[in-house]
Amino acid sequence: MTTTGADHATALRGPWWWSRWRSAVLDVGLALVSALECAAEGIPFSRDAGIPVSAGIVFGLLAGSVLVLRRKWPIAVVLVAIAITPAQMGFLMGIVGLYTLAAAELPRRIIVALAGMTFLGTLIVTFVRVRQSMARGDLTLGDWFVPFASLATSLGLTAPPVLLGLYVGARRRLMESLRERADSLERELQLLAERAEERAEWARGEERTRIAREMHDVVAHRVSLMVVHAAALQAVARKDPEKAVKNAALVGDMGRQALTELREMLGVLRSGEAAQRRTAAASASVAAVPVPLAAVGVAAAAAASRVVAEEEGPWLSELEVLVGQSAAAGMVVDLSVEGDVRSYAAAIEQTAFRVVQEALTNAHKHAAGAKTHVRLAHRVAEIAMQVENEPPPEPASAASAGLPSGGNGLVGMRERVLGLGGVFVSGPTDAGGFRVSAVIPAT
């Protein structure tokens, strides 16, 4: 990654007002050359002005050394160059000063005014000097040569440095703008990467929650029925061997069904992981370049969607089987269906089935022997379900089977229903029982 912005400024720090040491060395060298030039030009100036030669040399040295300030105060450098123009000094200082002035971030009116003053001063001085030379006979050309030489000299000393300075200044500002845009883009990419990581973590958390909810729904109901049948088997093993054999067969069937559902779920998860590994391997073989962090959240969400899409059942048509299993475990269950039976989207039917299943499981755990009513209503724009159990016949029967409770059943049901835009209500009834109600939109 290239050094841009503030890092670039701090990495190339020079002495005093210079941004780099190379710039300081260049300006000091130019100032030294300008001072020597002005000192040499101060000798004829002192003779013409009638002052000591040493004074002209010192004046030239001081005037020429002002060029060292061209990056800090370019206006002052140009003004000094204009001031010593009548003495025919500071040609290098004038050219470099105009270039620095035009390249600096100054208002255009200041650049135009100082360039115009330099042009006018050079024009006048050149006009006077050429005319004096022709008067002394040093030049034998015609009168047309005086304005021509004045204009050519003034334009040659003024226009090129100004135009070059404007070009370099515009290019410099363009590069700074591009650098600022690169810094802004880098910050935005970093922010997007952080957000992508957050989305990926959120997607992983949602997937873990969904898997935990599915495992709870699959295992809790089957195992609860198995525990109830096992308790009944223990109670009647010696008194009624035929009923004991029947309960043992039911326990075996419940265990096999639970194992089948667990294998199906684990198969879906493993196939999703294998598909992700194959996709990652194919991407690595195509191009060995880093994957953008923004793709992590998308890949995680896509994997979760694939797992949900590939998962099968259960369906509302299996409610009678579910109620029959609870009845076989000794629970008195009454199932009533209202409205015209029709099919719904897979997510809606699965959620409705899981709500009834979990409510029956809670009835097995906390109200063993109590009569339970299961009501399902097919409406125009929604499907409603209600599972209500009466008070258990014996207060101690609620924990007679020794079934543990983790308190996640109601939370899982609420998350399922609310995730589809439905309404979920649960709580005790006035008669001492418990009621679970849910309404899910049909679309």
Side-chain angles (χ1 to χ4, degrees), residues 20-314:
R20 294 177 295 184
W21 280 95
R22 185 177 63 182
S23 302
V25 172
L26 176 62
D27 288 353
V28 171
L30 290 175
L32 180 61
V33 174
S34 176
L36 294 177
E37 177 205 353
C38 293
E41 294 168 345
I43 297 175
F45 167 72
S46 61
R47 293 173 181 173
D48 295 340
I51 60 176
V53 175
S54 58
I57 295 175
V58 172
F59 175 74
L61 289 173
L62 294 176
S65 61
V66 176
L67 188 60
V68 76
L69 306 174
R70 70 183 187 94
R71 298 180 191 269
K72 186 69 173 178
W73 294 297
I75 298 178
V77 173
V78 175
L79 289 176
V80 171
I82 294 173
I84 63 177
T85 298
Q88 289 187 316
M89 291 183 181
F91 293 102
L92 177 62
M93 184 169 60
I95 294 174
V96 177
L98 285 177
Y99 163 78
T100 307
L101 179 71
E105 296 183 0
L106 295 173
R108 290 296 176 87
R109 62 178 182 274
I110 296 179
I111 298 175
V112 172
L114 292 178
M117 293 172 61
T118 303
F119 174 81
L120 185 60
T122 306
L123 179 66
I124 295 174
V125 171
T126 305
F127 183 86
V128 172
R129 292 294 183 179
V130 173
R131 192 171 183 83
Q132 290 177 353
S133 297
M134 293 185 66
R136 289 195 302 265
D138 297 338
L139 296 175
T140 58
L141 300 175
D143 296 337
W144 59 271
F145 182 74
V146 177
F148 173 78
S150 302
L151 287 174
T153 304
S154 301
L155 288 175
L157 295 177
T158 306
V162 171
L163 294 178
L164 181 60
L166 291 175
Y167 167 75
V168 172
R171 184 176 179 274
R172 183 184 303 161
R173 286 187 289 272
L174 176 61
M175 295 301 295
E176 292 177 356
S177 176
L178 293 177
R179 184 179 295 114
E180 291 177 358
R181 291 183 182 179
D183 293 339
S184 177
L185 181 59
E186 184 177 356
R187 288 191 295 268
E188 291 179 1
L189 290 177
Q190 185 177 2
L191 181 61
L192 288 176
E194 294 175 356
R195 291 181 178 177
E197 292 179 354
E198 293 176 359
R199 287 196 298 269
E201 184 63 28
W202 174 84
R204 288 191 292 266
E206 287 293 316
E207 184 63 11
R208 287 193 295 267
T209 302
R210 190 193 68 81
I211 294 173
R213 186 166 56 240
E214 290 293 334
M215 298 289 286
H216 176 273
D217 291 341
V218 170
V219 175
H221 180 72
R222 302 292 184 191
V223 174
S224 298
L225 292 179
M226 291 170 63
V227 173
V228 171
H229 282 295
L233 176 62
Q234 184 180 7
V236 301
R238 296 180 180 180
K239 298 179 181 179
D240 192 349
E242 294 182 359
K243 189 174 183 180
V245 172
K246 183 179 179 181
N247 286 338
L250 288 174
V251 170
D253 292 339
M254 293 294 175
R256 282 187 291 271
Q257 292 175 5
L259 287 175
T260 300
E261 293 183 3
L262 286 174
R263 287 195 186 100
E264 290 177 354
M265 181 177 297
L266 293 176
V268 170
L269 293 177
R270 287 174 179 172
S271 63
E273 293 177 358
Q276 291 182 13
R277 286 195 295 268
R278 288 193 299 268
T279 303
S283 301
S285 62
V286 171
V289 295
V291 178
L293 290 178
V296 177
V298 178
S305 301
R306 285 195 301 270
V307 173
V308 173
E310 294 174 0
E311 186 177 343
E312 298 180 357

Side-chain angles (χ1 to χ4, degrees), residues 334-369:
D334 179 21
L335 173 63
S336 62
V337 180
E338 302 176 0
D340 297 331
V341 179
R342 64 184 188 274
S343 61
Y344 301 90
I348 296 176
E349 294 207 13
Q350 292 170 14
T351 300
F353 183 91
R354 294 301 189 190
V355 168
V356 176
Q357 183 186 55
E358 181 60 29
L360 290 176
T361 302
N362 289 340
H364 279 290
K365 290 181 180 179
H366 307 291

